[in-house]
Amino acid sequence: MKINKLLIANRGEIACRVIKTANAQGIKTVAVYSEADKNAQHVSMADEAVFLGPSPSKESYLRGELIVEKAKELGVDAIHPGYGFLSENAEFANLCAKNNIIFVGPPASAIEAMGSKSAAKHIMEKAGVPLVPGYHGDEQSEAVLKSAADDMGYPVLLKAAAGGGGKGMRQVWNENEFSQALNAAKRESMASFGDDHMLVEKYLTRPRHVEIQVFCDTHGNGVYLYERDCSVQRRHQKIIEEAPAPNMSSSIREKMGEAAILAAKAINYVGAGTVEFLLDEDESFYFMEMNTRLQVEHPVTEMITREDLVYWQLVIAEGKPLPKQQNELTLTGHAFEARIYAEDPDNEFLPSTGTLALLRTPRETDVVRVDTGVVEGDKVSVFYDPMIAKLVVWGENREVALKRLISALGEYYIDGVSTNIEFLKRVAGHPAFISAELTTTFVEKHHDSLFNSAASDDTQDKIPAMILLVMLSRKRNACVAGKTPAIWSNAGAWRANSQHRESIALLFGHEEILVEVKHQSSLTTSSWEISIGEKTYIATGAIIEGVLHATVNGYKTTYSFSTNDGQYTLFNKDTHSKFSVISPSLGDDDSNEDNANFSAPMNGTIVAHLVEKDQPVTKGQPILVMEAMKMEHSITAPYDGSVEEFFFQPGELVDGGSTLLAFSSKEAKEA
Ligand code: ADP
């Protein structure tokens, strides 16, 4: 059956990505959208768009029946589910089939077969796909599970059969810990999935996560488009992916590829799928799970194979044979993908929401690709995944590709929300990453060098440029307003044709740096003598077309910048420095009380209260844990005080933006 009109049951970058290929193939597109996405990119890119409902996913993007109904109304031939939402929902795949609409994905039976970890393992064992040594039987008494663990030797990993997102998983390092760990894993699994069936697996201490891209058609053909290494993760979520996997011998590649095809054939797979393996240090590899959809990280495979995987999906969905046979596929060069998220790596990767006040992306070329669904001015809302974009680069080899990645990350400027860009740069530039020492414990292992929230030496070097930006912005504001300098007199003063001294405190996160500034001006030029501790700099410069041209001690540098709510951000290839200016004497932490934020960062569930109501807590102490976006987030005390009231109990669902608790400071209590 020919696809003339395609509905994309998704949003954001993946909806835009699918529309691009559909356009290139002359296929008409229909977007769907929620209240929050009325003005979203995917809506304007599509030929037609249908409104689904309010912003929460379950009232819009997860309404399978409504989507199928709209598809029928609009004469749609096929539905592409993207990833997430309905992409691995067997019921939805069935519903499409019943209504004579092509579901661009595998048959419902294949989705179901991979739904339970233990059932999937049974199928794979029968098919001869290597599994991590372990027990995945029905007998669930502690004695049976423990003797399985004793037999395979410690450490072992307890896993919930119904698990996902790392939930219900516990490492057990010796037999004395077994009983306690089993109880904890069962409790967590019961709470999350309503089922406490457990698997016991040999725990690999330094594995890599390597996955194979497979494609199968309806004629019984299957091929693999090589592998991706997704070892670098935080909380079991991928951060930077690459293809091919470094240091993977062609014989292992071939063996793993064939095992993946075996896995796909065992469940009569059709379409794009990913078979995930753990690769051990001794090059043994073990089946972990199969994802029955297009993956977020598919572009790295596209870069090294020069194939369009969405095109492949559409061809197969039309019932045609695979575009290429195994021996026609080639692997060229190396590719990386970095996921740009609105989140705060220094605060447990807490999602960040807000308006993208500034958004500059690296220039796209044949070797640099930006997959995104947002533009400057768009909002990152509490309702959906906070991924802003995927930055994908290609190079002739890993070294070249990695240099490009670091360089392109340096050209990504975002303001208005916190992002992980600096963190990605630290990962990509880490000596262990450069030498491809990749394991799933990478972030944990290199924790100290990957997280540094304090102003680094590097930031200190940029202070003269920061002061220059503050001074020139003031001067500009004064000119724009056409007023005397009175409008900025509360923050110190700049006066024309005079010499003036002032103290300025720059605030970086919680760190304050005091700077002495002496302004010298004549009719034609302004310069500033800037003293930080013992060091003195002379700075001059100008803001031309939104770019800061700074000359500090004779060295010229240009910076992009943004000013947003009293926050300044200075960007260039080496720096993304965020700071604000405070009056030196007002930098007291207690002045932040009004700014304390206890609202849910996004839709989620309350996991636990960590303190009692009215119990004294100290600044920084975790007080509540919530789960959102498959991750747990702690809310910490912003200052000494106590919780007056928790507005939600553990287990309750909360909408993004809801106020979670009332907190009062110690002083307020004592007063
Ligand atoms: P989930 O479905 O909950 O995400 P997975 O089975 O996919 O769980 O495993 C998630 C991650 O946990 C893997 O990417 C890997 O980092 C780690 N992991 C899983 N099984 C093992 C194991 N046997 N040994 C070591 N690490 C493992």
Side-chain angles (χ1 to χ4, degrees):
M1 191 176 139
K2 181 101 186 79
I3 300 175
N4 293 311
K5 198 171 190 181
L6 178 72
L7 181 146
I8 299 96
N10 215 301
R11 61 178 300 281
E13 70 86 15
I14 192 63
C16 298
R17 161 74 193 86
V18 173
I19 292 172
K20 271 187 194 149
T21 294
N23 281 344
Q25 297 303 317
I27 297 172
K28 290 210 183 71
T29 54
V30 179
V32 293
Y33 66 97
S34 69
E35 188 66 37
D37 281 339
K38 270 195 271 191
N39 300 314
Q41 285 305 296
H42 73 280
V43 175
S44 51
M45 274 177 75
D47 298 311
E48 289 172 83
V50 204
F51 179 68
L52 293 178
S55 307
S57 309
K58 56 180 188 304
E59 295 171 53
S60 48
Y61 296 105
L62 288 173
R63 293 179 67 187
E65 292 195 6
L66 178 67
I67 293 173
V68 169
E69 196 181 296
K70 298 282 180 196
K72 276 167 61 182
E73 260 172 48
L74 293 171
V76 161
D77 306 305
I79 296 183
H80 194 301
Y83 53 70
F85 296 129
L86 296 165
S87 62
E88 289 177 289
N89 185 317
E91 228 175 282
F92 181 68
N94 264 330
L95 189 67
C96 291
K98 260 193 231 142
N99 287 279
N100 285 324
I101 294 173
I102 299 171
F103 174 74
V104 183
S109 57
I111 300 177
E112 263 158 12
M114 287 296 148
S116 150
K117 281 191 206 300
S118 53
K121 290 203 169 169
H122 279 300
I123 299 173
M124 293 307 145
E125 191 169 43
K126 250 174 67 194
V129 179
L131 300 182
V132 185
Y135 173 81
H136 44 270
D138 291 333
E139 199 42 77
Q140 287 287 305
S141 70
E142 180 171 334
V144 168
L145 296 174
K146 178 154 183 306
S147 88
D150 291 345
D151 288 350
M152 72 187 83
Y154 294 88
V156 300
L157 186 66
L158 296 169
K159 264 189 196 180
K167 278 273 166 74
M169 236 189 234
R170 281 284 186 294
Q171 297 159 16
V172 190
W173 292 87
N174 58 57
E175 65 169 321
N176 302 329
E177 291 176 359
F178 190 87
S179 182
Q180 209 185 350
L182 179 66
N183 289 330
K186 276 181 176 271
R187 254 199 325 270
E188 198 171 292
S189 176
M190 198 47 145
S192 305
F193 314 108
D195 175 311
D196 63 0
H197 196 107
M198 285 288 144
L199 320 183
V200 190
E201 267 179 19
K202 179 87 195 142
Y203 180 66
L204 310 179
T205 47
R206 275 192 295 271
R208 290 164 67 181
H209 172 125
V210 178
E211 56 184 38
I212 302 276
Q213 177 70 58
V214 297
F215 269 92
C216 298
D217 63 19
T218 48
H219 307 274
N221 306 308
V223 294
Y224 59 91
L225 276 70
Y226 313 108
E227 77 283 357
R228 298 182 282 259
D229 191 316
C230 313
S231 299
V232 180
Q233 307 178 349
R234 44 123 176 124
R235 300 166 181 249
H236 304 301
Q237 301 231 15
K238 297 158 186 168
I239 304 172
I240 298 183
E241 301 99 336
E242 58 183 291
N247 306 319
M248 179 129 150
S249 65
S250 47
S251 80
I252 296 293
R253 170 168 302 129
E254 204 170 300
K255 276 192 199 144
M256 203 184 265
E258 279 161 12
I261 295 292
L262 211 58
K265 295 241 162 111
I267 55 168
N268 296 319
Y269 201 77
V270 176
T274 296
V275 185
E276 297 187 338
F277 293 97
L278 287 174
L279 175 62
D280 208 356
E281 285 170 300
D282 64 1
E283 294 208 315
S284 348
F285 59 85
Y286 309 102
F287 170 83
M288 204 164 25
E289 65 176 343
M290 178 164 185
N291 293 317
T292 53
R293 54 171 158 80
L294 190 70
Q295 303 264 100
V296 175
E297 60 273 22
H298 76 274
V300 290
T301 301
E302 299 190 314
M303 289 297 226
I304 59 157
T305 57
R306 310 213 165 131
E307 300 293 334
D308 176 337
L309 301 198
V310 175
Y311 168 73
W312 278 55
Q313 286 189 295
L314 296 175
V315 167
I316 292 166
E318 286 186 331
K320 294 184 196 141
L322 291 169
K324 282 188 179 167
Q325 297 301 312
Q326 195 67 53
N327 59 11
E328 296 172 294
L329 287 160
T330 52
L331 191 170
T332 315
H334 202 95
F336 286 98
E337 171 183 280
R339 301 189 187 190
I340 315 276
Y341 274 104
E343 65 181 16
D344 183 0
D346 292 317
N347 186 10
E348 299 182 52
F349 297 97
L350 191 76
S352 169
T353 55
T355 300
L356 295 162
L358 175 89
L359 178 63
R360 296 270 185 289
T361 59
R363 200 166 65 84
E364 287 198 74
T365 63
D366 283 353
V367 293
V368 177
R369 163 174 165 185
V370 178
D371 279 20
T372 188
V374 290
V375 292
E376 191 168 279
D378 281 355
K379 282 200 170 61
V380 178
S381 80
V382 296
F383 298 106
Y384 315 111
D385 186 282
M387 191 169 77
I388 298 170
K390 306 185 308 203
L391 172 63
V392 187
V393 301
W394 180 89
E396 301 78 73
N397 54 48
R398 189 174 190 270
E399 203 186 328
V400 174
L402 186 53
K403 272 198 194 137
R404 278 196 184 129
L405 176 68
I406 294 170
S407 164
L409 281 168
E411 290 168 21
Y412 224 120
Y413 306 147
I414 295 176
D415 199 19
V417 297
S418 306
T419 74
N420 64 342
I421 293 173
E422 287 302 287
F423 177 74
L424 290 169
K425 278 159 75 179
R426 289 196 286 264
V427 172
H430 196 282
F433 191 84
I434 293 170
S435 53
E437 292 158 35
L438 309 173
T439 70
T440 55
T441 54
F442 184 92
V443 172
E444 231 174 293
K445 187 169 163 200
H446 303 293
H447 188 277
D448 292 349
S449 44
L450 294 176
F451 298 87
N452 63 339
S453 48
S456 61
D457 291 352
D458 175 58
T459 304
Q460 301 236 8
D461 290 347
K462 307 293 183 300
I463 288 177
M466 294 174 187
I467 295 289
L468 191 65
L469 173 63
V470 172
M471 293 299 154
L472 292 170
S473 308
R474 280 186 192 172
K475 206 169 151 179
R476 202 158 64 144
N477 288 343
C479 296
V480 169
K483 286 191 187 164
T484 60
I487 54 158
W488 24 260
S489 61
N490 59 347
W494 169 84
R495 287 184 183 81
N497 298 316
S498 68
Q499 267 224 3
H500 178 74
R501 283 188 92 88
E502 70 173 302
S503 294
I504 291 183
L506 297 182
L507 189 66
F508 300 91
H510 294 296
E511 194 180 343
E512 190 179 315
I513 294 179
L514 199 63
V515 185
E516 287 289 321
V517 184
K518 203 155 80 185
H519 176 229
Q520 291 151 342
S521 74
S522 66
L523 272 179
T524 49
T525 58
S526 278
S527 69
W528 287 269
E529 186 184 303
I530 298 163
S531 310
I532 310 156
E534 305 280 277
K535 291 189 190 155
T536 299
Y537 306 83
I538 302 290
T540 64
I543 294 172
I544 304 167
E545 292 179 354
V547 174
L548 171 67
H549 295 254
T551 305
V552 177
N553 291 351
Y555 291 98
K556 286 179 194 271
T557 317
T558 56
Y559 297 91
S560 293
F561 65 88
S562 77
T563 54
N564 188 25
D565 275 349
Q567 280 267 346
Y568 294 84
T569 314
L570 206 56
F571 304 97
N572 75 4
K573 267 208 189 276
D574 325 307
T575 333
H576 286 204
S577 304
K578 211 180 202 41
F579 64 97
S580 51
V581 179
I582 51 172
S583 307
S585 54
L586 297 179
D588 208 301
D589 272 333
D590 293 342
S591 63
N592 288 333
E593 278 184 24
D594 289 344
N595 297 333
N597 182 4
F598 298 107
S599 53
M602 47 203 353
N603 296 344
T605 313
I606 302 299
V607 175
H609 298 162
L610 300 176
V611 298
E612 304 277 323
K613 205 175 130 191
D614 295 328
Q615 174 190 334
V617 294
T618 50
K619 182 179 166 182
Q621 185 177 339
I623 48 184
L624 176 147
V625 182
M626 74 170 283
E627 191 222 300
M629 302 303 314
K630 299 199 259 173
M631 289 189 282
E632 288 193 352
H633 305 287
S634 308
I635 307 276
T636 54
Y639 35 82
D640 294 355
S642 59
V643 175
E644 279 184 346
E645 190 77 57
F646 285 106
F647 299 130
F648 296 92
Q649 298 308 310
E652 272 190 81
L653 293 171
V654 291
D655 287 333
S658 318
T659 303
L660 299 174
L661 55 93
F663 194 86
S664 66
S665 72
K666 205 166 145 205
E667 288 74 19
K669 267 257 139 68
E670 282 162 3

